Amino acid sequence: MASMSPTEAQALVQKLEDISNTPPSAILENDDLHRRFREAAYSASVAVHWPSDSVHLIAYGTLYSSMARIGVDTKLFEVLAASNSPLSSEELARQTGVDLVLTKLLLRFYQSFHWLKEADKNLFVVNNVTKALTPPFSVGIEFFNTVLNPPFTVLPEYLKSHGYKNPTSVIDSPWQSGYLTEQHPASGLPEFVDVYPFEQEVGKDTTDETILFVDIGSALGSQCVLVRNRFPSLKGRIIMQDQQHVIDAWNAEANPGIGTMVYEFFTPQPVQGARAYYMRNIIHDHQDQQAREILLNTVSAFSKDSVLLIDDIVLPDEGMVPWRATLADLNMLSTLAAKERLEREWRVLLDSAGLGIIKI
Ligand SMILES: C[S@@+](CC[C@H](N)C(=O)[O-])C[C@H]1O[C@@H](n2cnc3c(N)ncnc32)[C@H](O)[C@@H]1O
C-alpha cells in the first residue's frame, strides 16, 4: 500500500473525481496516453474492489448484455443520443413507449453503471457509453444477447461433462448443449447488529421468558445464530420461523438456544408481544399487496414494546443509486417480478400497514 498523508489522499480522490467527470483532452487526444490512462483507471478501480464487488460484477455478467439489449430494442439510447437537450424519464417513456415505472428502473440501472448521465434532477444526457450503444455498434448487442449468451452460459457444464477436453467437434460443442443455470451471490452487506443498537433498543430488562427476537422467513437461521452469538448473556427467547421443509432442515442439536416454528407469513403471527420481529430479504420478494398482508399479520401480534426490524434495501428517492442496488432490483424483477423500494415507496407501504418509521 502506498504511503500518503490524509490531505494528499483527499486531494488525489478529488482529482480522480474531477477527471472522471471531464477527462482532459490532453489525454483523450493522445493515443498512447489515452490507452495508458484507460488501463490505469480501470485497474485502479479493480484494485480497490471489495471481494463481494468482484463477485457481483462477474456473476451478473449476462445481465449487462440483457440490459443493454433492452435499451437497444426500445431505442432508449438512440432517442437520447438524437436529442439536442436533456430528456426526462417521462419524455423517454413517451418516445420509447416503455411504461414509466420500468423506464425509471432502466434509467437507474444505466446510470449506476455510467451508461448515461443524469445532468440534473430527472434530466438525462448521453455519455460515451450511450453513444456506443446506438447504431452501428449496437447491432452486436442483440447478437451477443440472443445468439452467444446461451452457449456462454452452458460452457462450464459442457466442459465439465466433457472432462475439460478442448471442444473440436462442431456437432458436439457448447452450442448444442441446452443446460441453463442461474446464481445469486451472497450480498456481502453489513449485518443488522452492526448498524442497529439491538441490545440497547430491545434488550432492556429481559428475562428468560421474554420473546426477544422472532426471525420471520428465517431460512436456516443465520440471523438467529448471529443474535445469540453476538449477545450471549442477553436473556430472552430467539425463534426462527419458516415453512415446514425449511424448518425440517434445521439442526437443532448443533444450535442450542434457538427455537423453531413452522409459520406461513400470510397468516396472523402466532407469537404475541415479541420485543423484535425481524425480516430480512422478505418484503422485497413481494409486490405491495402481499407485502402489506405480511406486515399486517405481523403487526397483529405487537405489544406496546414491539418493533419490526426490516433488513432490506432502501433505494434513495433522488440521485445516483449504487450499482449493487440496481442489480438487486433487476434480480428481483427477473426472478420474482418483485422489486427493491425507494424510500418513499417504503413510507407508503409501511404507512398502509399502520406502521411508522423510527429510523432508516
Ligand atoms: C429470500 S429468503 C430470505 C431468507 C432469510 N431471511 C435471509 O435473509 O437469509 C425468503 C425466505 O422466506 C421463506 N418463505 C417464503 N414464503 C413463505 C411463506 N409464505 N411463509 C413463511 N416463510 C416463507 C422462504 O422459505 C425463505 O427462507
Side-chain angles (χ1 to χ4, degrees):
M1 219 178 285
S3 83
M4 192 179 271
S5 76
T7 320
E8 287 169 329
Q10 281 275 358
L12 178 64
V13 171
Q14 179 66 52
K15 182 141 192 117
L16 282 171
E17 284 169 351
D18 294 344
I19 289 176
S20 77
N21 283 331
T22 325
S25 52
I27 292 177
L28 295 182
E29 285 160 12
N30 178 314
D31 239 354
D32 180 46
L33 278 182
H34 189 164
R35 274 173 213 287
R36 281 175 53 198
F37 182 76
R38 172 176 161 279
E39 189 54 34
Y42 179 70
S43 79
S45 162
V46 173
V48 295
H49 277 173
W50 285 290
S52 58
D53 284 345
S54 305
V55 171
H56 272 75
L57 284 168
I58 294 164
Y60 272 96
T62 52
L63 181 64
Y64 312 139
S65 152
S66 295
M67 291 302 286
R69 171 138 177 244
I70 294 165
V72 170
D73 285 353
T74 58
K75 301 202 180 333
L76 188 143
F77 303 129
E78 259 181 88
V79 166
L80 202 56
S83 172
N84 292 324
S85 54
L87 296 180
S88 66
S89 50
E90 287 74 10
E91 184 54 29
L92 281 162
R94 195 185 66 72
Q95 289 201 40
T96 57
V98 176
D99 143 324
L100 179 60
V101 174
L102 186 57
T103 300
K104 288 184 173 184
L105 182 145
L106 292 173
L107 289 168
R108 282 203 292 272
F109 181 94
Y110 296 147
Q111 196 196 355
S112 74
F113 280 93
H114 306 276
W115 293 6
L116 43 72
K117 268 171 85 166
E118 189 176 22
D120 207 338
K121 194 177 157 193
N122 193 33
L123 281 175
F124 298 90
V125 293
V126 291
N127 66 9
N128 55 325
V129 183
T130 333
K131 288 183 201 152
L133 295 171
T134 60
F137 303 107
S138 58
V139 174
I141 299 291
E142 187 180 6
F143 180 70
F144 268 72
N145 185 256
T146 52
V147 182
L148 292 187
N149 280 0
F152 286 170
T153 306
V154 300
L155 190 58
E157 280 303 321
Y158 169 88
L159 290 176
K160 193 192 281 180
S161 67
H162 287 69
Y164 296 103
K165 289 198 182 67
N166 195 42
T168 51
S169 164
V170 292
I171 56 160
D172 182 16
S173 72
W175 197 274
Q176 276 76 35
S177 189
Y179 184 81
L180 288 174
T181 181
E182 198 188 348
Q183 276 197 344
H184 301 296
S187 68
L189 298 169
E191 299 292 2
F192 85 96
V193 289
D194 294 326
V195 295
Y196 175 74
F198 183 82
E199 203 166 10
Q200 295 89 308
E201 294 288 336
V202 299
K204 276 204 207 91
D205 306 324
T206 56
T207 67
D208 291 338
E209 278 68 51
T210 307
I211 298 166
L212 180 67
F213 184 73
V214 178
D215 187 356
I216 301 166
S218 57
L220 285 177
S222 64
Q223 303 306 98
C224 293
V225 173
L226 174 75
V227 168
R228 178 92 304 163
N229 291 347
R230 190 66 70 92
F231 311 106
S233 56
L234 189 56
K235 290 188 173 153
R237 291 167 59 196
I238 294 177
I239 302 171
M240 54 181 269
Q241 297 180 323
D242 209 299
Q243 296 170 318
Q244 183 78 58
H245 67 279
V246 179
I247 297 298
D248 287 348
W250 173 248
N251 184 345
E253 275 160 35
N255 296 285
I258 294 170
T260 58
M261 181 183 279
V262 173
Y263 169 56
E264 152 63 48
F265 50 50
F266 290 109
T267 63
Q269 171 61 248
V271 179
Q272 300 284 320
R275 289 286 180 88
Y277 296 93
Y278 172 83
M279 298 173 186
R280 185 176 77 165
N281 298 334
I282 299 296
I283 298 299
H284 81 159
D285 283 353
H286 299 275
Q287 286 294 343
D288 289 347
Q289 198 186 326
Q290 289 83 24
R292 182 165 175 270
E293 231 179 286
I294 297 169
L295 294 170
L296 284 169
N297 282 329
T298 308
V299 172
S300 72
F302 267 34
S303 71
K304 67 173 180 28
D305 292 330
S306 302
V307 291
L308 172 61
L309 307 174
I310 300 177
D311 195 342
D312 245 325
I313 288 174
V314 179
L315 301 174
D317 286 335
E318 309 291 346
M320 168 84 100
V321 176
W323 58 261
R324 290 281 291 268
T326 62
L327 283 178
D329 203 6
L330 261 296
N331 184 346
M332 287 300 107
L333 178 126
S334 317
T335 55
L336 294 163
K339 59 177 178 181
E340 302 300 344
R341 288 178 169 81
L342 296 168
E343 181 175 334
R344 65 166 174 274
E345 293 175 317
W346 276 113
R347 289 190 183 279
V348 170
L349 174 66
L350 293 172
D351 185 61
S352 79
L355 287 158
I357 296 179
I358 299 170
K359 195 161 183 223
I360 296 175

